[in-house]
Structure formats: C-alpha cells, structure tokens
C-alpha cells in the first residue's frame, strides 16, 4: 500500500471519519482538526503499521502544516528502514 494512502487512512481513523477519501494530501492539518497531540497519536499508529520510528523531536522540528508534509516525513523513514 502506498504511504500517502495509508497515512490518510490513519488520519481519518484518528479523527473518527469512516471515509479516508475525505482526507486530501493538500489539506492543512489544523483545518481538519489536527493538533500536536493528535499528530503524536497519528505518528504512533504509523510507526506500528509501517515498522518505523520517528523521534518526537523530529515531529515537532518538522514544518508539518499539511497532510503532504506528514506523508513526506513518514516516507523518508520508510525508505530508510
């Protein structure tokens, strides 16, 4: 499965949506209801499902404004694992 698709599915699940297609790659994280605690919850799920580890400091240092930014962060770890 593609990383972007899986990240969108996880975001939808965390937000309580049954329609991952509602989450778009160019959505602003804050506009769809994601705050810093929600980002951590999403990343924990992504780590478990993708078998990667993303450091907390890396999450907060990254400029995560859009879904695409989170996908790129996850993708870089998947490629290096």
């Amino acid at each position: 499965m593609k990383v972007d698709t899986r990240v969108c599915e996880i975001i939808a699940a965390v937000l309580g949506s049954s329609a991952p297609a509602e989450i778009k790659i160019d959505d602003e994280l804050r506009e769809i209801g994601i705050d810093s605690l929600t980002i951590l919850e999403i990343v924990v799920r992504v780590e478990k499902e993708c078998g990667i580890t993303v450091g907390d400091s890396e999450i907060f240092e990254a400029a995560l404004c859009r879904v695409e930014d989170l996908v790129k962060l996850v993708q870089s770890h998947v490629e290096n694992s």
Side-chain angles (χ1 to χ4, degrees), residues 20-62:
E22 293 176 6
I23 306 299
K24 305 291 185 225
I25 197 81
D26 59 344
D27 283 347
E28 295 284 332
L29 295 174
R30 292 195 187 277
E31 287 182 12
I32 60 174
I34 297 176
D35 58 20
S36 57
L37 292 176
T38 310
I39 280 284
L40 289 176
E41 183 178 350
I42 291 166
V43 171
V44 166
R45 287 188 186 200
V46 168
E47 288 176 327
K48 288 179 183 176
E49 292 191 25
C50 296
I52 61 171
T53 302
V54 180
D56 292 347
S57 62
E58 188 176 358
I59 295 166
F60 292 112
E61 290 172 5

